[in-house]
Amino acid sequence: QVQLVQSAAEVKRPGASVKVSCEASGYTLTSHPIHWVRQAPGQGLEWMGWINTANGNTKYSEKLQGRVTFTRDTSANTAYMEVRSLRSEDTAVYYCARQFARGWSGWFDPWGQGTLITVSS
Amino acid sequence: DIVMTQSPLSLPVSPGESASISCRSSRSLLHSNGNTYLDWYLQKPGQSPQLLIYLVSNRASGVPDRFSGSGSGTDFTLKISRVEAEDVGVYYCMQALQTPPTFGPGTKVEIK
């Protein structure tokens, strides 16, 4: 079945970088955009940005612009999200999600299982 | 950015009863192509969000017909008829009309 499988949880020091993977199975990664959404402990959902998996074009949230990079490896059917200069407030569960579009935009389905990134000294 | 609000934020429901969640957007979510870009997601405890309803009223694959979505413009409703124990979790509405997509604060549904 169609699913997105993310990499395991990590603990990082402030100032470090982290790279999370999101492997697509059951479909070809390049057929749909991938969005990244994060959720701080006990909080709601925050959109981080998206990657056009067909051509690699990206769009980032204003808040994270300059500290986050989305890439993809089409041969591995995998998307990646890297956050640099980590701060304690980056502690969150990070989700990738496939976007279905009808016309202008669309919905997210499915979502990956989430990757907990803990930033702590 | 489009601001999404939801009410109530907490909703205790007895099994078999119906539940209704309201979602409002700070501007109309109707696109000139005729689609209204409002979706509903459910995040069950300890799980990732899952799609329930897309484009206001379309149930995602596998979603029971106890779930229904309605609304237009800036006002939307998710209705759950005959709530079951497996329906507990946090329900989020999300607008996908404009970048960035934005989510409501979530409505926590629990069983009385």
Side-chain angles (χ1 to χ4, degrees):
Chain A
Q1 80 276 26
V2 171
Q3 59 178 343
L4 297 171
V5 180
Q6 298 184 223
S7 47
E10 298 198 49
V11 179
K12 293 291 184 179
R13 300 289 192 204
S17 299
V18 68
K19 192 170 187 176
V20 176
S21 66
C22 170
E23 181 179 4
S25 65
Y27 81 100
T28 302
L29 182 75
T30 54
S31 61
H32 297 277
I34 289 287
H35 288 245
W36 290 89
V37 176
R38 69 179 182 179
Q39 185 173 37
Q43 301 301 306
L45 302 167
E46 177 189 8
W47 181 81
M48 300 175 64
W50 69 285
I51 181 168
N52 180 326
T53 51
N55 60 21
N57 288 346
T58 55
K59 172 75 173 176
Y60 304 110
S61 70
E62 285 189 13
K63 181 178 180 180
L64 291 167
Q65 179 82 43
R67 279 205 307 132
V68 66
T69 301
F70 304 147
T71 55
R72 91 279 192 234
D73 180 343
T74 57
S75 65
N77 223 38
T78 301
Y80 301 92
M81 184 276 305
E82 181 181 35
V83 183
R84 299 174 295 280
S85 302
L86 286 164
R87 310 159 182 166
S88 58
E89 51 266 39
D90 293 319
T91 293
V93 176
Y94 289 74
Y95 297 103
C96 59
R98 179 179 72 164
Q99 184 185 33
F100 267 96
R102 181 175 294 175
W104 170 252
S105 183
W107 51 97
F108 299 162
D109 182 48
W111 296 56
Q113 85 277 18
T115 298
L116 173 62
I117 303 299
T118 303
V119 183
S120 174
S121 54
Chain B
D1 297 359
I2 295 177
V3 177
M4 306 297 291
T5 57
Q6 290 180 231
S7 63
L9 298 183
S10 178
L11 184 56
V13 188
S14 297
E17 287 187 344
S18 65
S20 189
I21 301 170
S22 173
C23 172
R24 287 188 173 164
S25 56
S26 59
R27 60 155 286 190
S28 174
L29 301 183
L30 174 64
H31 191 272
S32 57
N33 65 13
N35 291 316
T36 299
Y37 291 99
L38 185 283
D39 311 315
W40 290 95
Y41 298 88
L42 165 60
Q43 187 172 31
K44 295 184 178 181
Q47 296 185 20
S48 55
Q50 61 187 80
L51 177 69
L52 284 178
I53 301 283
Y54 62 95
L55 298 178
V56 179
S57 59
N58 297 274
R59 272 189 305 277
S61 176
V63 174
D65 59 9
R66 300 183 288 103
F67 292 89
S68 63
S70 63
S72 63
T74 61
D75 289 320
F76 305 94
T77 301
L78 176 70
K79 198 165 279 186
I80 315 169
S81 61
R82 305 181 309 279
V83 170
E84 298 183 4
E86 65 177 22
D87 301 336
V88 299
V90 181
Y91 291 77
Y92 294 95
C93 60
M94 185 195 88
Q95 68 81 19
L97 175 72
Q98 190 178 93
T99 299
T102 46
F103 296 88
T107 295
K108 186 173 185 178
V109 172
E110 58 182 15
I111 300 295
K112 280 183 188 173

